[in-house]
DNA sequence: AAAGCGGGGCC
DNA sequence: GGCCCAGCTTT
């Protein structure tokens, strides 16, 4: 199959027929396929950005139950929306989705617009998502291009260039557009993705089970393992950080991540970068950095565990500590909100994944009785100051 | 054009 | 341990 054969009408209709027949038999029963309501299509497409189907499945159901329509999402608390996103990653999606719902209410009368240009003005909706919503929900004749179809179409074309380059994107979008049927466009687009996901897989594609192998340039030459060309360079950076559970009379200190840091909008235990100094200086470094971050002085650090995790281009070794509150000695007001929370309150705050793990430790290990008593002496109970 | 943004599945 | 995922936005 080559770009020049795009003008061959008969070829394209045969391709579409084979693909649809396959999809009719093999389509998975996914929650978001049970409704073509624009709102539900929208939610699913945002959740599915860079996120696998199996991961999204339970999130979608809970989200729709809690926010059944655009108006209820627009009226919700951002924290509540984030809580439904907890664990899904790319939390900017949730904040943008929330803002977009408010924009739809304010500017579009509460209905998703059917015009591509207006749909694209909503935060979080780019070329793919707009095409997906318009074709699936409104049966508009709009192409899509994402991970599955990029691989599928590149293999069909035996495209040897970089599929991520501007030229590669132009070529593949053009093919996606040229293949579109006149009607039932959404089902066709989903069939392309499904084929890419179930058959035309990244490794060991099941070419023998492929309904469109006849037209595949890669299968014809045995190139399916080399196309698309892998252009990924990981280049991780190893860093060390520390997170501290600071206990104060039964409660623990949480802070909300600011707009310019990771996990913006989510809550986390106080977390600081750790220099690779000698272990003896660790306690002092922790006390100093946590104080600078939170205004709170904590001591008697006890190491709990080490968690390794990755985010974007960092491999993080996270040293988790427990510490006792000494005093609040903030030299300046802190922009990011922070709160002392009872362990039972933690589940109602949106946390990042390591924060969630530490929250589990808090619940499982209540503070020793002696520590609470010591905290009480150094910090006698008093009335809260009126603001 | 490249970087930032998460977390889990899978080999 | 590295690759991958129904991408979008900012620099």
């Amino acid at each position: 199959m080559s770009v020049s054969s795009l003008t061959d009408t008969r070829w394209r209709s045969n391709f579409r027929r084979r693909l649809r027949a396959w999809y009719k038999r093999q389509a998975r029963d996914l929650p978001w396929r049970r409704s073509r309501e624009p709102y539900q299509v929208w939610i699913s497409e945002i959740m599915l950005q860079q996120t696998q189907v199996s991961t999204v499945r339970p999130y979608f159901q809970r989200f729709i139950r809690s926010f059944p329509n655009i108006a209820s999402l627009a009226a919700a608390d951002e924290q509540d929306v984030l809580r439904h996103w907890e664990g899904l990653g790319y939390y900017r999606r949730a904040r943008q989705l929330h803002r977009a719902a408010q924009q739809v209410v304010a500017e579009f009368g509460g209905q998703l617009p059917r015009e591509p240009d207006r749909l694209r003005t909503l935060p979080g909706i780019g070329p793919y998502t707009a095409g997906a919503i318009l074709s699936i929900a409104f049966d508009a004749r709009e192409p899509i291009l994402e991970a599955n179809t990029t691989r599928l179409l590149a293999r069909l074309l035996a495209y040897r260039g970089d599929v991520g380059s501007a030229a590669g994107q132009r070529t593949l979008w053009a093919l996606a557009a040229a293949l579109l049927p006149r009607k039932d466009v959404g089902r066709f687009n989903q069939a392309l993705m499904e084929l890419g996901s179930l058959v035309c897989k990244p490794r060991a594609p099941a070419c023998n089970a492929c309904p469109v192998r006849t037209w595949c340039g890669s299968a014809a030459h045995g190139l399916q393992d080399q196309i698309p060309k892998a252009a990924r360079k990981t280049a991780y950076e190893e860093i060390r950080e520390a997170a501290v559970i600071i206990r104060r009379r039964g409660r623990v200190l949480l802070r909300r991540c600011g707009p310019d840091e990771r996990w913006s909008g989510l809550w986390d235990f106080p977390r600081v970068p750790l220099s690779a100094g000698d272990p003896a200086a660790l306690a002092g470094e922790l006390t100093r950095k946590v104080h600078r971050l939170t205004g709170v002085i904590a001591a008697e650090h006890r190491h709990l565990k080490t968690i390794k995790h990755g985010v974007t281009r960092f491999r993080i070794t996270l040293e988790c500590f427990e510490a006792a509150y000494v005093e609040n000695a903030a030299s300046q007001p802190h922009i990011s909100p922070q709160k002392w929370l009872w362990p039972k309150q933690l589940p109602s705050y949106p946390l990042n994944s390591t924060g969630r793990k530490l929250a589990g430790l808090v619940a499982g290990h209540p503070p020793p009785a002696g520590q609470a008593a010591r905290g009480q002496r150094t910090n006698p109970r008093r009335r809260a100051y009126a603001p």
Side-chain angles (χ1 to χ4, degrees):
Chain A
M1 145 81 191
S2 66
V3 183
S4 58
S5 59
L6 287 182
T7 52
D8 184 341
T9 309
R10 195 166 48 81
W11 176 86
R12 283 182 295 177
S13 57
N14 285 337
F15 177 93
R16 292 193 284 255
R17 192 162 26 245
R18 294 281 282 275
L19 178 61
R20 318 194 90 126
W22 174 86
Y23 186 65
K24 190 165 186 171
R25 291 199 318 272
Q26 302 293 334
R28 289 169 290 182
D29 178 23
L30 302 175
W32 46 90
R33 288 189 176 149
R34 296 186 163 225
S35 165
R36 284 183 49 193
E37 203 190 315
Y39 173 72
Q40 297 201 15
V41 175
W42 177 27
I43 300 302
S44 70
E45 292 303 338
I46 299 296
M47 285 188 170
L48 285 162
Q49 288 171 2
Q50 292 291 287
T51 310
Q52 301 194 3
V53 165
S54 59
T55 305
V56 167
R57 207 189 270 262
Y59 284 87
F60 176 79
Q61 311 251 44
R62 273 196 307 131
F63 197 95
I64 294 297
R65 262 202 301 279
S66 297
F67 312 111
N69 50 49
I70 296 181
S72 61
L73 178 57
D77 268 357
E78 186 191 89
Q79 290 288 304
D80 197 16
V81 178
L82 280 171
R83 208 163 53 76
H84 284 74
W85 215 267
E86 187 183 273
L88 204 48
Y90 288 145
Y91 301 97
R92 187 167 55 188
R93 293 181 295 175
R95 298 195 308 275
Q96 289 174 328
L97 185 59
H98 185 225
R99 274 198 292 129
Q102 295 172 339
Q103 185 183 333
V104 169
V105 169
E107 293 181 22
F108 302 135
Q111 302 281 107
L112 278 180
R114 294 166 176 254
E115 302 79 13
D117 289 344
R118 290 217 287 168
L119 194 57
R120 285 287 310 275
T121 68
L122 295 171
I125 299 186
Y128 163 75
T129 306
I133 293 173
L134 291 168
S135 64
I136 296 172
F138 301 128
D139 203 29
R141 196 151 187 257
E142 295 286 337
I144 58 157
L145 186 66
E146 42 72 75
N148 294 306
T149 61
T150 294
R151 191 170 54 247
L152 172 67
L153 299 183
R155 282 177 176 158
L156 278 173
L157 280 180
Y159 186 81
R160 293 163 183 274
D162 175 2
V163 294
S165 70
Q169 288 288 298
R170 267 197 309 276
T171 302
L172 297 177
W173 273 105
L175 176 54
L179 290 174
L180 286 182
R182 297 272 167 199
K183 56 174 190 177
D184 220 4
V185 186
R187 196 187 309 276
F188 175 81
N189 280 340
Q190 292 186 80
L192 282 178
M193 292 190 279
E194 194 82 331
L195 185 62
S197 174
L198 299 181
V199 174
C200 199
K201 298 175 289 184
R203 271 169 314 199
C207 296
N208 287 331
C210 182
V212 298
R213 179 176 187 173
T214 318
W215 302 291
C216 183
S218 295
H221 300 97
L223 293 172
Q224 58 270 40
D225 292 326
Q226 285 129 65
I227 295 176
K229 196 175 64 177
R232 206 159 303 244
K233 53 170 182 181
T234 36
Y236 283 117
E237 186 178 338
E238 300 278 346
I239 59 176
R240 287 180 77 220
E241 293 182 347
V244 187
I245 299 173
I246 304 172
R247 296 179 183 274
R248 178 194 187 186
R249 291 155 55 197
R251 296 193 282 188
V252 296
L253 183 62
L254 268 284
R255 63 182 292 275
R256 186 144 68 94
C257 302
D260 293 329
E261 44 186 328
R262 286 197 299 265
W263 304 297
S264 167
L266 268 69
W267 293 76
D268 195 10
F269 291 86
R271 184 177 176 120
V272 298
L274 221 47
S275 62
D278 70 298
L282 187 58
E285 181 186 1
L286 271 181
T287 298
R288 193 170 62 252
K289 287 182 173 174
V290 168
H291 175 222
R292 197 162 63 224
L293 181 70
T294 67
V296 167
I297 295 179
E300 297 179 30
H301 296 92
R302 189 166 72 84
H303 188 258
L304 295 174
K305 63 187 300 187
T306 303
I307 298 175
K308 289 182 180 294
H309 70 118
V311 41
T312 311
R313 45 176 285 267
F314 297 104
R315 302 285 313 179
I316 303 176
T317 302
L318 180 67
E319 305 292 356
C320 304
F321 293 87
E322 182 175 50
Y325 173 85
V326 175
E327 65 172 315
N328 193 336
S331 54
Q332 54 190 1
H334 287 81
I335 307 302
S336 282
Q338 51 191 44
K339 289 184 182 176
W340 293 96
L341 297 178
W342 297 103
K344 64 193 299 187
Q345 294 178 280
L346 291 176
S348 60
Y349 283 75
L351 302 178
N352 60 22
S353 75
T354 52
R356 182 53 65 206
K357 286 174 186 162
L358 288 178
L361 291 182
V362 170
H365 300 273
Q371 181 177 307
R374 192 205 52 77
Q376 196 134 19
R377 275 201 308 281
T378 52
N379 182 53
R381 181 179 181 79
R382 58 178 179 238
R383 286 183 55 81
Y385 290 109

